[in-house]
Each structure stands twice: as structure tokens, then as C-alpha cells.
Amino acid sequence: MEVTKSCCMKKNRLFCLFVLLVLVGGASAQLVEKVREFLAEEDTMKTVPVIRTDSDSLNIAKMREELEAARLNEANMRMEMEQMKLRAYAADSVKLALQRLRIDSLRKFTPGVPVVVEGDTLFYIFAKRGGHTPQQRAEMNAAAITELGKRFNLQPDSLYLESSDIVTDLMYGNKVLASFTDQDGLWEGRTRDQLAADKRQVVVHKLKEMKEEHGLWQLGKRILYFILVLVGQFLLFKGTTWLFRKLKVRIQKLKDTKLKPISIQDYELLDTQKQVNLLIFLSNLLRYVFMLLQLLLTVPLLFSIFPQTKNLAYQIFSYIWNPVKTIFSGVIEYIPNLFTIFVIWYAVKYLVRFVHYLATEVQSERLKLNGFYPDWAMPTYHIVRFLLYAFMIAMIYPYLPGSDSGVFQGISVFVGLIVSLGSSTVIGNIIAGLVITYMRPFKLGDRIKLNDTTGNVIEKTPLVTRIKTPKNELVTIPNAFIMSSHTVNYSASARTYGLIIHVEVSIGYDVPWRKVHALLLKAAKATSGVMADPEPFVLETELQDWYPVYQINAYIKEADQLTQIYSNLYQSIQDVFTEADIEIMSPHYMAVRDGNETTIPKAGVKPEDTKEGIPC
């Protein structure tokens, strides 16, 4: 019974080995070992003497036959496994060869992603792994190595490699620093283990350098440097304060030595004390600027001493350097545009000078253009100058810094909108000024009458015209109002034909009209400012109930003296009629000729008409 049980157990073990062989194709070595143990046990059973019966002999013979059959099956299965392994190896070799050819073709065009630690490139990564791109793998590896390198208790030689079926990890303690796959090895033409070993040496060398950089000795030196920089900055502040205190004393001494009051004509703009105060203020401002510059250099220097704050130091320094760099680079890049702007400006400037030269020649009538009046010269020059400068601005605008930015364009549109909405009246006056200029209704100095305003034109601008009345009143009139009103120009007629002034007087019907005509002509000719040629003339304008109305007309040249000439003519008429003992019957009055006095002034009464100097 014991032999039977052992045989059954052997059969079961053989069956388990068979199942293991089927399920695990790559465990042939273990299977061979198990079979050897089974055979050894069987040989042992052969050597051990056993008391057998006939039935036991039959069972043992049967078991031997089964064992031989099992051995034969195991040999067949081993051959099949070897064939499978050969086929798998052949397939893997073909696949590996194809991958190698493909990688060799890609290596010429695919740059590796560097793993950079503190400015040093340790190695390159070409292949992706586990959903991570080469760039991500390089960043993770660099971050892990950098973080490890900053430890004070770092032991670089403690790095080790841990391999599995698909990957070899570079480890420090329980932390994975980098992982290498078969694909990484193919990219560099080595096996995965060779690649990992080489990269381990590179990383160990870098970690040793970082340990020296971040060790306790380096930390002590950095603390010493930090203290020295602080002391140096404190001494700089003290020295700066002392220097500017001395400068302040020197400035105060200048009050009595070199400083003199600054005057504009009779106005004293800055006396010596104000100049001293201004110089002291500027020196204090310069001191604060100088100290600020010291801080801007010292603070990044302090942060750059320690590796942990070095990035912050670079960032702070970038806040200072980047704007300065941007400004300088912008200025350098803007030089061609600036040169273009200068060329445009100088071209327009000399073109404006040429137009001004032509305008002065036309105004002085040295240059005559058919249909172009001399008084049009300067207004036309101003218009052309405005157009040229507007054209210059339009040409320069694209070369201005920031002209293509949305903010600059938005501000330009906003300003244009404000100008267009708020300048309708202004534009109207400008257009009216242009029209008035070329209509030539008056010139500077002309005596004109605009509605109820009479005076001389003293100024014409694109917006308004100013008139000075005979009473020295300065009247400003918008050009748009002039366009909508009627204007009388006395000076234009006086220059061309002679301006006719006229005065109406009424003389009684008892005086012959011929005598009145003669007296009026005599009075006009005796008036200062009246032209002798053409001669004055008299018109009778009305025959009223009490007297006829006579109108004396005379030519004058000086229209701006119109008021004075009228006054002189009135005086002459009174003198002439007084000398002729003729009453001027204006205004209306009733006179009864019953011995009453006449209306002739007493100074003009003849001596024989008085008794002892007393009027009749």
C-alpha cells in the first residue's frame, strides 16, 4: 500500500510538472531540475530493497512503463519548447534589427533632448516611455538630479542600478533619478545595461561637483560673503551720505562767490538763495538715485550668493536689466526709422522755405503771376505750409515707435473723434477765413464797415478778424459771421477811384441855389484831406416845405482818416456860410423876422450890425 501511494504521488508530481511546462513557456531550466529530482527519487527506489509481492511487481512494472512514457513526453515537450524559443528569438532578432535600422535612419535627423543640470548637459534622451515625451523625461530627470544634488548629506557613490525585464532604473535610496529602456540603448548603439552604467558614472561625477558646491564649507563661505556684502553696502551708504553732505556745504558757499541772479529783462527769475535751494534739492535727488542704484545692484548680488535664491536674484536683476536692455535695443533698432524721419523732416523743412521764398517774392511784386494777387501770397504760403506739415506727419506716422500698436491707434482715433465732434464751428471759421482770403473783400489796414461796426482791419487769422474802431475799440469778429454779413470797404474805393464823402445841408429858399453851390464847393476845397482832382460837386437831393436840401460830395484818398475829414468838412461849411451871413436851416426851427437875432454865430456878425459891441 505504501508503494502504491508513493507511485500515485509521483504521478501527481509528474502531472503538475506537465501543467507547469504548458503554462510557463520560458521556465525550461526549472522544469529540467524538477524532472532530475524525480528521476533521482526513482533511482533511489530502485536501489532500496523492497519486499515485493507478485502484485506489487506487476504494479511496479506498470509504473515503469508509465514513467518511460512520461520521460518520452517530457523530451518531446522539451524539444517543442526549444523550437518555440528559437522561433521567438528569431522573431525578436528580426524585430530588433528592423528597429535598429529605423533608429539609424532617424538618428541623422532627430536631435536628442538634453538633460541639463546647473548648466551642464549630462546626457540626451531620444525615446519616449510610459506616455512621457523625451522633453518631459529630460525635465523630470534634471529636476530629480538637481534636487538630490542640493542635499547636505549627499553620498554620490550610493547611486545604484536596479534592473527588471523592461527597464533599468538609476536609484538613490528609494528615489528613481532616471530610467533607461531597450529603446534608449538602441538610440545610442549599446545595450540597456551598458547605457545605464555609463550614465550612472556621469551622474555620480556631477553629484560630486554639486556636493562640493552645496556642502557645509561652501555654505560657510557664502554666509561670510553675505555678511561682507552687507557691510560693504552699509559703508557705501555712509560714504554717499558724507560725500553729499560735503557737496551741500560747497553749494551753500557758492551763494556768495559764483552764483548770480538770473533775470529776464527786468524780472528776477532766480536770486542766489533760490539757486542754492534748487541745487541742494537736485543734489538730494541725485543722492537718492545713487543709493537706489546701489540697492538695485546689491540686492541681486545678495540673493545670488546662495544657490537656493540664485533664480530669485536673476529674476530681480532681470527686472532692472530687461527694461534697460529693451530700451537700448529699441533705440538701436529704431535708428533706421529715425534716420528716415530726419530725411523726411529736412526735405519738408527746405520745401517750406522754398515756398516762403516764392511767397515773399510775390508779395513784394518782384515775381508776378497772372491772376495771382500779391496779398494772396502769405495766406497761400500758410495753407501750403500746413498741408506740407500734415503730409509730413502722415509720412512719419508709420515710423513712430508704437504706431502699429492697438493702444496708439485707439488714442489716435479717440483724439480724431474728439476734434471732429468739438471743432465744427472752428472748421467753419477756418473755411470762412480761406474764402475771405481769396475773395479779397478787405486787407490789413483797410477801413471797413461790417454791419454796425466801422474801423480799420488790424489782424486776420484763420479763425477771426480784428477791427479797431475810431474810438480805439478792438472788435473780434468770427470769420463765419463775416461770410454771412455784408461788408463795406472804404479803403479799396479810396485807393482805386477816390472815396466820395458827402454832407447834406438845408438852406432857406431866400438864398439863391447858385450861391449855395458856390459856398459849398468853396467849403469842400478848403477842407484838409479832400482831393482837388476830381473836383467836388453839389447835388440837390430834396425840396422840402421849409428849405431845399443840398449835398456836397468830395473825393478823398485817406479812408482811414474818414472821421477826421468829415469833421473838417463840417467845420469848413459852417465857416463859409457864417462869412457869407447865410443861415443854415438845419435842423428845423421856426423864425419870425420881426427884428429878432439871426441864427448866425455872433463871432461871425459884422461890426456895423452891432451897437457898441452889443448884438442887434
Side-chain angles (χ1 to χ4, degrees):
M1 289 296 294
E2 293 178 356
V3 175
T4 305
K5 290 181 180 180
S6 62
C7 291
C8 292
M9 291 177 62
K10 291 178 180 179
K11 288 182 180 180
N12 292 334
R13 290 166 61 187
L14 184 60
F15 178 75
C16 292
L17 290 175
F18 176 74
V19 173
L20 182 62
L21 179 61
V22 173
L23 294 178
V24 184
S28 58
Q30 293 86 344
L31 179 61
V32 172
E33 186 67 24
K34 293 294 182 181
V35 172
R36 286 178 178 176
E37 292 178 0
F38 177 77
L39 294 177
E41 289 179 1
E42 183 184 7
D43 293 338
T44 304
M45 289 177 61
K46 289 180 179 180
T47 58
V48 176
V50 181
I51 300 174
R52 300 182 179 86
T53 60
D54 294 337
S55 60
D56 291 338
S57 299
L58 294 175
N59 290 332
I60 291 173
K62 187 176 180 180
M63 289 178 60
R64 285 178 177 176
E65 292 178 358
E66 291 177 355
L67 182 59
E68 291 295 332
R71 287 178 177 176
L72 181 60
N73 290 335
E74 191 272 339
N76 292 333
M77 292 173 61
R78 183 181 297 176
M79 291 181 62
E80 291 179 0
M81 287 182 58
E82 292 295 331
Q83 290 177 358
M84 291 173 61
K85 288 174 63 178
L86 289 175
R87 287 196 298 268
Y89 179 77
D92 291 341
S93 299
V94 173
K95 183 178 179 181
L96 188 64
L98 292 175
Q99 289 181 350
R100 185 177 290 109
L101 290 175
R102 182 172 176 271
I103 290 173
D104 289 340
S105 63
L106 292 176
R107 189 180 291 113
K108 301 177 182 178
F109 309 101
T110 305
V113 179
V115 177
V116 181
V117 177
E118 292 188 347
D120 292 335
T121 301
L122 303 185
F123 53 89
Y124 292 87
I125 294 179
F126 296 88
K128 62 181 181 179
R129 175 182 178 271
H132 295 292
T133 63
Q135 289 81 4
Q136 294 172 338
R137 290 182 63 193
E139 292 174 0
M140 292 188 295
N141 294 344
I145 297 172
T146 302
E147 181 182 357
L148 178 63
K150 293 182 180 180
R151 294 184 182 180
F152 293 116
N153 57 349
L154 175 65
Q155 299 296 328
D157 292 330
S158 298
L159 266 71
Y160 64 95
L161 298 175
E162 186 173 296
S163 298
S164 63
D165 293 338
I166 59 174
V167 68
T168 299
D169 295 325
L170 178 61
M171 306 285 292
Y172 184 85
N174 296 326
K175 185 176 181 61
V176 178
L177 302 181
S179 298
F180 303 97
T181 63
D182 294 330
Q183 290 289 329
D184 295 326
L186 288 175
W187 273 98
E188 298 199 21
R190 285 176 288 177
T191 64
R192 185 213 318 164
D193 294 335
Q194 292 174 345
L195 177 64
D198 292 342
K199 303 311 178 187
R200 177 187 176 278
Q201 295 298 326
V202 174
V203 175
V204 167
H205 179 70
K206 180 60 181 178
L207 290 177
K208 289 180 178 179
E209 292 181 355
M210 295 180 69
K211 182 180 180 180
E212 294 178 359
E213 182 69 18
H214 301 281
L216 293 177
W217 172 247
Q218 291 294 333
L219 178 61
K221 290 196 297 184
R222 290 190 179 98
I223 294 175
L224 179 61
Y225 294 156
F226 186 84
I227 296 173
L228 289 177
V229 171
L230 287 179
V231 172
Q233 182 59 59
F234 176 76
L235 295 177
L236 277 176
F237 278 168
K238 283 290 187 180
T240 303
T241 304
W242 177 83
L243 179 64
F244 279 92
R245 190 182 297 115
K246 292 291 184 180
L247 179 62
K248 183 178 178 180
V249 174
R250 293 290 299 273
I251 291 174
Q252 290 175 344
K253 291 181 179 179
L254 292 176
K255 178 181 177 180
D256 302 324
T257 56
K258 296 183 180 181
L259 293 180
K260 296 181 180 179
I262 300 176
S263 301
I264 299 177
Q265 295 181 353
D266 295 333
Y267 174 71
E268 188 176 78
L269 182 62
L270 289 174
D271 57 12
T272 55
Q273 184 59 45
K274 290 181 179 179
Q275 294 181 49
V276 168
N277 295 337
L278 179 61
L279 291 175
I280 291 175
F281 171 76
L282 293 177
S283 65
N284 289 330
L285 182 62
L286 181 62
R287 176 167 67 96
Y288 292 135
V289 171
F290 188 63
M291 296 173 70
L292 178 62
L293 290 176
Q294 293 176 11
L295 288 176
L296 291 178
L297 294 176
T298 303
V299 172
L301 181 61
L302 288 173
F303 282 110
S304 65
I305 293 175
F306 297 96
Q308 292 80 2
T309 58
K310 185 176 293 185
N311 293 332
L312 182 60
Y314 292 150
Q315 186 175 3
I316 294 175
F317 186 74
S318 67
Y319 293 154
I320 307 169
W321 173 245
N322 287 342
V324 176
K325 178 182 177 182
T326 302
I327 292 173
F328 276 106
S329 61
V331 170
I332 293 174
E333 293 175 358
Y334 190 68
I335 289 177
N337 291 343
L338 188 62
F339 179 75
T340 304
I341 291 175
F342 275 124
V343 170
I344 296 174
W345 182 71
Y346 271 104
V348 173
K349 176 183 177 181
Y350 286 102
L351 185 58
V352 168
R353 287 187 178 182
F354 176 71
V355 175
H356 181 265
Y357 168 75
L358 293 180
T360 54
E361 292 295 309
V362 173
Q363 187 180 28
S364 61
E365 298 187 6
R366 289 191 295 269
L367 176 62
K368 295 183 179 180
L369 301 176
N370 294 330
F372 194 90
Y373 298 96
D375 55 323
W376 285 357
M378 296 312 296
T380 303
Y381 160 70
H382 292 304
I383 294 172
V384 173
R385 183 181 63 177
F386 172 77
L387 294 177
L388 287 175
Y389 282 136
F391 178 70
M392 179 190 70
I393 293 174
M395 292 183 64
I396 290 176
Y397 179 84
Y399 298 98
L400 295 177
S403 60
D404 54 347
S405 64
V407 176
F408 194 89
Q409 295 173 357
I411 293 175
S412 302
V413 172
F414 177 75
V415 172
L417 181 62
I418 294 299
V419 171
S420 62
L421 292 178
S423 61
S424 57
T425 303
V426 175
I427 298 300
N429 284 324
I430 292 175
I431 298 301
L434 293 177
V435 174
I436 290 172
T437 297
Y438 290 97
M439 284 177 57
R440 304 177 70 242
F442 50 78
K443 298 190 302 183
L444 288 177
D446 284 357
R447 172 64 66 90
I448 67 172
K449 181 179 181 182
L450 183 62
N451 287 355
D452 295 332
T453 303
T454 302
N456 290 57
V457 180
I458 61 172
E459 184 181 5
K460 289 197 311 179
T461 68
L463 297 176
V464 297
T465 298
R466 290 184 174 85
I467 297 175
K468 185 178 180 181
T469 66
K471 302 300 183 183
N472 288 336
E473 299 167 339
L474 189 61
V475 182
T476 301
I477 304 172
N479 289 332
F481 179 77
I482 297 176
M483 284 292 298
S484 61
S485 305
H486 64 278
T487 304
V488 179
N489 191 330
Y490 299 114
S491 298
S493 297
R495 286 191 299 267
T496 307
Y497 314 106
L499 179 65
I500 299 177
I501 63 174
H502 61 281
V503 175
E504 292 184 344
V505 294
S506 53
I507 307 299
Y509 284 105
D510 56 335
V511 180
W513 63 268
R514 291 180 179 83
K515 187 174 182 179
V516 174
H517 282 207
L519 292 173
L520 289 175
L521 291 174
K522 179 181 177 182
K525 293 177 180 179
T527 301
S528 175
V530 173
M531 298 172 57
D533 185 25
E535 294 183 353
F537 60 92
V538 179
L539 299 176
E540 293 189 28
T541 57
E542 291 185 77
L543 295 176
Q544 296 189 2
D545 293 338
W546 311 103
Y547 44 76
V549 178
Y550 300 92
Q551 186 185 81
I552 177 64
N553 295 270
Y555 293 87
I556 65 171
K557 278 288 186 182
E558 302 296 332
D560 54 343
Q561 300 294 325
L562 183 63
T563 304
Q564 185 62 45
I565 295 175
Y566 263 115
S567 178
N568 295 337
L569 181 58
Y570 292 147
Q571 295 171 8
S572 296
I573 291 173
Q574 292 181 67
D575 290 340
V576 169
F577 278 88
T578 299
E579 291 176 1
D581 293 332
I582 298 176
E583 294 178 301
I584 299 176
M585 307 299 291
S586 296
H588 300 288
Y589 66 90
M590 300 295 294
V592 179
R593 299 307 183 186
D594 56 357
N596 295 335
E597 294 182 359
T598 64
T599 58
I600 301 173
K602 294 179 176 57
V605 177
K606 295 179 181 179
E608 57 269 18
D609 294 335
T610 62
K611 294 179 180 179
E612 295 180 359
I614 300 175
C616 301

